[in-house]
């Protein structure tokens, strides 16, 4: 039994709880993944269910070469080819992902405007400097105006970007000039965010766009509306409202739950309510109430991207990533799991019913049958937060005694926003990316990799994340991370400065030790992948590494991806000029033409391209090969050899 569970995760506490779930008769994603194999036709993008004549299946014939005549006939009832079907499915994934991120951004913008107008007590402008920066970026007049006046204009402009019918998104201007020109030339500079997503739904309706290249181009446009639009604006406005993250110490893994305290897990994505829960849980009356119920206090922790948000700004510990959500409840020690939107398994409710945990839904957009619904009201957010915390406290006496909290938690340093990296590298008065660029040019740092994304129950929990990240840093590639990869890295002890000495190559370790940073920098939640775009742009602007993101020795990866959001993120990375490798499975392999277009032709068009490699070591080496190719093109490949030689020689000389 134990051995069987060890194939499911690399994390000891996770394995213990998978075992406990089995003992308690609780069904989890790990069991369901085993019981139900993925559909071999749908998983490669060869199933079309966009109309009532289908679903139509157009899989590649197995074991024999197809004749052109046979291929001609391999179509849906409406005549759609395997290419059209694969491309339609792919860009509908982008639409789903871009919609999720961008609707999150819209929620933030709505709250932002309410705050500026004085209609959301309890919230305020926390980062004035960023407010002014965003005002400058958006062309909002500053002069003698109050923060609220400036913020009102910003909120209105941002909300307007969603429904914009003409022109292009203002925030595209944050990209390198050459990249902006390329997008315009290719006709992929997005107009309004909503418009691009709606256009995907229109084009993929039966009988509309039948050219896979044209479909994929619209996918690029909508993905750009996500990365450089909806996600970017979510990050910017969250920073103004809740503070721009700076390095902060926290802890991670299921061991952060406390046996004698009221455990509240905040799970989901939008930090609007969770910020208030953090405040409510610290109120003396709440702590007193918890004590009156026999608990020693209130212990808040986070799950998935909400966890990253409240870790980065408050140091609230992280209980786990995507595949650990059910297991946190299996501990038997969670009084309430508060959820909002995205990546919440419906089964958290059924698992909760086996223990005493209350699942509290809070968003009108995401209800779960059987859960307690306490709707978040931004006009009186603290009241909603207090009600939630109180509900959790009152549930403490209902614990059933069948409690097991694994003894594993690790320290982590998070909070590496673009602003922080700028400051850490350059110092307060000369903030810049110069030292990073210099260390890339002199070869101590080989390149930078953004490793992000989910867990996937079809692959061993956290294994590909950690194997890939360790391989990259061992080869002197600085890793920046977000989402569930960041949580995996925290759990594996990679987010502390000491990890540099232990796991990083000589050059990278030297830089990390000098600056005092970990070799893997936690930049936040999945919408915060926009921070990676801004960091890449800053590297371009600082000079010496080409004049576009596609010139940089950088690469991206999502080794355990599963969500549509990951596809949207990957596509905007590719469209921004980044070589991007995904693991686990690839959703267009049902069409060679579509796959070739994404994997090869896109590089010619955009300078970035997709790749698929489920083996994390091989994937890491694909990324390293791409980084080396870029170093060579920049003429800095020799510098690397020279620096390493000098270091060794110096030591040898010292020893003599
Ligand atoms: O948005 S990494 S499993 S939690 S989708 Fe979801 Fe994937 Fe985790 Fe955050 Ni991102």
């Amino acid at each position: 039994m134990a051995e069987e569970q060890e194939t499911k995760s690399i994390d000891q506490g996770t394995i213990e709880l998978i075992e406990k779930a089995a003992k308690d008769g609780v069904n989890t994603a790990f069991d369901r993944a085993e019981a139900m194999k993925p559909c071999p036709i749908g998983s490669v993008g060869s199933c079309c269910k966009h109309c009532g004549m289908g679903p139509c299946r157009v899989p590649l014939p197995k074991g024999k070469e197809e004749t052109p005549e046979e291929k001609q006939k391999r179509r849906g009832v409406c005549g759609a080819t395997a290419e059209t079907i694969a491309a339609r499915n792919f860009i509908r994934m982008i639409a789903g992902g871009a919609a999720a991120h961008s609707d999150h951004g819209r929620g933030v913008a709505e709250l932002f405007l309410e705050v500026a107008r004085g209609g959301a007590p309890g919230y305020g402008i926390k980062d004035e400097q960023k407010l002014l920066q965003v005002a400058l970026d958006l062309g909002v007049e500053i002069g003698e105006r109050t923060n609220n006046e400036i913020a009102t204009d910003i909120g209105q402009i941002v909300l307007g970007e969603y429904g914009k019918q003409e022109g292009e998104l203002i925030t595209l201007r944050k990209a390198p000039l050459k990249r902006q020109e390329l997008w315009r030339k290719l006709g992929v500079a997005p107009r309004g965010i909503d418009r691009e997503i709606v256009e995907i739904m229109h084009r993929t309706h039966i009988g509309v766009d039948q050219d896979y290249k044209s479909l994929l181009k619209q996918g690029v446009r909508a993905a750009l509306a996500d990365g450089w639009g909806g996600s970017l604006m979510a990050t910017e406005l969250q920073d103004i409202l809740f503070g721009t993250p700076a390095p902060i110490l926290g802890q991670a893994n299921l061991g952060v739950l406390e046996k004698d305290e009221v455990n509240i897990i905040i799970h989901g994505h939008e930090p609007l309510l969770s910020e208030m829960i953090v405040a409510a849980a610290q109120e003396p009356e709440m702590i007193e109430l918890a004590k009156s119920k026999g608990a020693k206090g209130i212990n808040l922790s986070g799950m998935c991207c909400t966890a990253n948000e409240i870790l980065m700004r408050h140091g609230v510990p992280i209980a786990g990533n995507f595949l650990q959500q059910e297991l946190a409840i299996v501990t038997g020690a969670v009084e309430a799991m508060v959820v909002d939107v995205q990546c919440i398994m419906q089964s958290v409710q059924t698992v909760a019913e086996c223990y005493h945990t209350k699942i509290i839904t809070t968003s009108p957009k995401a209800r779960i049958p059987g859960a307690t619904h306490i709707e978040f009201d931004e006009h009186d957010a603290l009241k909603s937060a207090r009600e939630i915390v109180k509900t959790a406290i009152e549930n403490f006496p209902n614990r059933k005694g069948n409690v097991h909290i694994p003894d594993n938690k690790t320290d982590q340093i998070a909070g590496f926003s673009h602003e922080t990296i700028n400051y850490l590298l350059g110092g307060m008065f000369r903030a810049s990316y110069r030292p990073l660029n210099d260390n890339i040019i002199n070869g101590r740092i080989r390149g930078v990799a953004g490793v992000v994304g989910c867990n996937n129950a079809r692959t061993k929990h956290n294994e590909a994340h950690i194997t890939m990240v360790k391989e990259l840093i061992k080869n002197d590639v600085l890793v920046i991370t977000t989402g569930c990869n960041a949580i995996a890295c925290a759990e594996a002890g990679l987010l502390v400065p000491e990890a540099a000495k232990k796991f990083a190559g000589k050059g990278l370790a030297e830089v990390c030790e000098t600056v005092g940073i970990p070799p893997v920098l936690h930049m936040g939640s999945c919408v915060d992948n926009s921070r990676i775009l801004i960091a890449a742009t800053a590297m371009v602007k600082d000079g010496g590494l080409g004049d576009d993101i596609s010139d940089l020795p950088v690469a991206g990866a999502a080794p355990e991806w599963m969500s549509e959001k990951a596809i949207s993120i990957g596509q905007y990375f590719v469209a921004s000029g980044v070589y991007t490798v995904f693991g686990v499975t690839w959703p267009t392999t049902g069409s060679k033409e579509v796959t070739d277009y994404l994997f090869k032709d896109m590089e010619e068009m955009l300078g970035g391209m997709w790749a698929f490699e489920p083996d994390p070591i091989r994937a890491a080496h694909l990324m390293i090969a791409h980084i080396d190719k870029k170093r060579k093109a920049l003429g800095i490949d020799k510098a690397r050899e020279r620096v390493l030689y000098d270091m060794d020689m110096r030591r040898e000389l010292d020893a003599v």
Side-chain angles (χ1 to χ4, degrees), residues 434 437-438 440-442 538-547 551-553 630-631 633-636:
R434 195 67 252 152
N437 284 19
D438 283 346
I440 290 174
I441 293 165
N442 71 26
M539 286 169 72
V540 171
K541 287 188 180 155
D542 229 287
L545 293 173
D547 52 10
D551 296 331
L552 298 172
K630 293 294 168 185
R631 293 187 65 87
L634 289 165
I636 55 171

Side-chain angles (χ1 to χ4, degrees), residues 347-398:
S347 54
V348 289
Q349 177 58 29
T350 26
V351 175
E353 283 162 15
C354 301
Y355 302 91
H356 75 301
T357 308
K358 273 196 191 318
I359 302 296
I360 303 177
T361 51
T362 58
S363 166
K365 292 175 200 159
R367 306 281 294 241
I368 301 177
T372 306
H373 187 72
I374 302 178
E375 200 154 306
F376 167 53
D377 174 10
E378 64 197 34
H379 302 104
D380 203 350
L382 204 51
K383 187 169 159 239
S384 313
R386 283 188 187 126
E387 197 184 335
I388 288 166
V389 173
K390 220 169 140 208
T391 306
I393 294 171
E394 275 158 6
N395 197 25
F396 184 77
N398 298 328

Side-chain angles (χ1 to χ4, degrees), residues 101 269 304-305 322 342-343 453-455 483-484 526 562-563 565-566:
H101 284 145
H269 283 77
C304 289
C305 281
F322 178 71
Q342 299 170 27
C343 304
C454 326
N455 294 133
C484 287
C526 281
M562 62 86 200
S563 77
K565 289 183 285 174

Side-chain angles (χ1 to χ4, degrees), residues 370-433:
T372 306
H373 187 72
I374 302 178
E375 200 154 306
F376 167 53
D377 174 10
E378 64 197 34
H379 302 104
D380 203 350
L382 204 51
K383 187 169 159 239
S384 313
R386 283 188 187 126
E387 197 184 335
I388 288 166
V389 173
K390 220 169 140 208
T391 306
I393 294 171
E394 275 158 6
N395 197 25
F396 184 77
N398 298 328
R399 264 200 205 174
K400 293 185 177 152
N402 176 16
V403 169
H404 172 69
I405 300 173
D407 185 23
N408 65 336
K409 56 180 167 190
T410 42
D411 281 343
Q412 59 171 327
I413 310 269
F416 292 93
S417 55
H418 149 70
E419 290 81 352
T420 289
I421 296 176
N422 210 15
Y423 160 70
L424 275 179
L425 290 171
M428 197 187 294
F429 299 107
R430 53 185 171 86
S432 85
Y433 274 59

Side-chain angles (χ1 to χ4, degrees), residues 212-499:
Y212 73 88
K213 292 183 187 172
S214 162
L215 285 160
L216 294 174
K217 202 165 134 187
Q218 179 57 22
V220 167
R221 187 147 61 164
L224 286 172
D226 173 358
W228 292 90
S231 283
L232 188 141
M233 293 194 285
T235 299
E236 300 279 69
L237 299 191
Q238 284 174 185
D239 282 357
I240 298 173
L241 283 181
F242 310 128
T244 302
I248 190 163
L249 177 69
Q251 291 188 312
N253 220 337
L254 293 153
V256 303
L257 297 173
E258 294 288 350
K259 197 157 180 264
D260 304 321
E261 297 186 20
V262 174
N263 286 303
I264 305 175
I265 294 184
I266 317 175
H267 175 19
H269 283 77
E270 298 178 350
L272 313 183
L273 174 62
S274 50
E275 282 282 326
M276 283 298 163
I277 295 179
V278 173
Q282 288 167 5
E283 291 182 339
E285 309 87 79
M286 289 295 169
I287 296 168
E288 274 315 304
L289 183 65
K291 288 187 177 158
S292 76
K293 301 287 173 191
K296 285 195 176 146
I298 303 168
N299 180 44
L300 273 190
S301 58
M303 181 71 62
C304 289
C305 281
T306 288
N308 290 324
E309 299 278 5
I310 50 177
L311 163 77
M312 300 256 289
R313 297 194 178 92
H314 302 284
V316 171
I318 291 186
N321 54 7
F322 178 71
L323 275 179
Q324 292 175 301
Q325 57 184 286
E326 295 166 303
L327 301 177
I329 302 170
V330 171
T331 60
V334 177
E335 276 56 55
M337 181 177 269
V338 188
V339 304
D340 55 11
V341 291
Q342 299 170 27
C343 304
I344 296 140
M345 294 187 191
Q346 185 168 348
S347 54
V348 289
Q349 177 58 29
T350 26
V351 175
E353 283 162 15
C354 301
Y355 302 91
H356 75 301
T357 308
K358 273 196 191 318
I359 302 296
I360 303 177
T361 51
T362 58
S363 166
K365 292 175 200 159
R367 306 281 294 241
I368 301 177
T372 306
H373 187 72
I374 302 178
E375 200 154 306
F376 167 53
D377 174 10
E378 64 197 34
H379 302 104
D380 203 350
L382 204 51
K383 187 169 159 239
S384 313
R386 283 188 187 126
E387 197 184 335
I388 288 166
V389 173
K390 220 169 140 208
T391 306
I393 294 171
E394 275 158 6
N395 197 25
F396 184 77
N398 298 328
R399 264 200 205 174
K400 293 185 177 152
N402 176 16
V403 169
H404 172 69
I405 300 173
D407 185 23
N408 65 336
K409 56 180 167 190
T410 42
D411 281 343
Q412 59 171 327
I413 310 269
F416 292 93
S417 55
H418 149 70
E419 290 81 352
T420 289
I421 296 176
N422 210 15
Y423 160 70
L424 275 179
L425 290 171
M428 197 187 294
F429 299 107
R430 53 185 171 86
S432 85
Y433 274 59
R434 195 67 252 152
L436 174 65
N437 284 19
D438 283 346
N439 278 301
I440 290 174
I441 293 165
N442 71 26
R444 282 193 189 90
I445 295 178
R446 191 172 195 155
V448 181
V451 188
V452 306
C454 326
N455 294 133
N456 186 318
R458 301 291 176 195
T459 184
K460 191 172 180 177
H461 169 244
N462 284 358
E463 184 178 57
H465 281 313
I466 299 311
T467 311
M468 171 184 280
V469 170
K470 279 188 176 166
E471 189 64 17
L472 289 167
I473 59 177
K474 190 175 104 187
N475 284 283
D476 293 317
V477 176
L478 175 70
V479 171
I480 46 186
T481 174
T482 62
C484 287
N485 177 277
I487 300 173
C489 289
E491 291 176 350
L494 299 177
L495 301 190
V496 286
E498 302 78 55

Side-chain angles (χ1 to χ4, degrees), residues 498-631:
E498 302 78 55
K501 199 168 185 178
K502 210 160 154 196
F503 301 108
K506 211 199 292 175
L508 175 62
E510 208 175 276
V511 177
C512 290
E513 278 162 27
T514 311
V515 185
I517 54 171
V520 184
L521 303 180
H522 186 334
M523 291 190 92
S525 64
C526 281
V527 291
D528 291 337
N529 281 312
S530 60
R531 297 189 199 278
I532 299 182
L533 299 176
I534 299 300
T537 306
M539 286 169 72
V540 171
K541 287 188 180 155
D542 229 287
L545 293 173
D547 52 10
D548 195 357
I549 296 174
S550 55
D551 296 331
L552 298 172
V554 302
E560 298 182 29
W561 79 277
M562 62 86 200
S563 77
E564 292 172 324
K565 289 183 285 174
I567 293 290
S568 181
I569 293 167
Q571 185 62 80
Y572 73 66
F573 267 95
V574 168
S576 302
V578 181
Y579 173 74
T580 305
V581 191
F582 270 38
V584 193
T585 181
W586 185 253
T588 69
T589 44
S591 162
K592 189 177 173 319
E593 287 85 342
V594 170
T595 308
D596 281 352
Y597 191 77
L598 295 168
F599 287 17
K600 293 176 191 154
D601 301 17
M602 276 206 176
E603 188 173 27
E604 265 167 51
M605 271 168 65
L606 296 158
M609 62 167 169
W610 287 96
F612 168 54
E613 176 49 69
D615 180 317
I617 295 278
R618 258 189 260 150
H621 283 280
L622 288 175
M623 296 160 82
I624 292 167
H626 178 81
I627 285 170
D628 286 350
K629 186 172 103 182
K630 293 294 168 185
R631 293 187 65 87

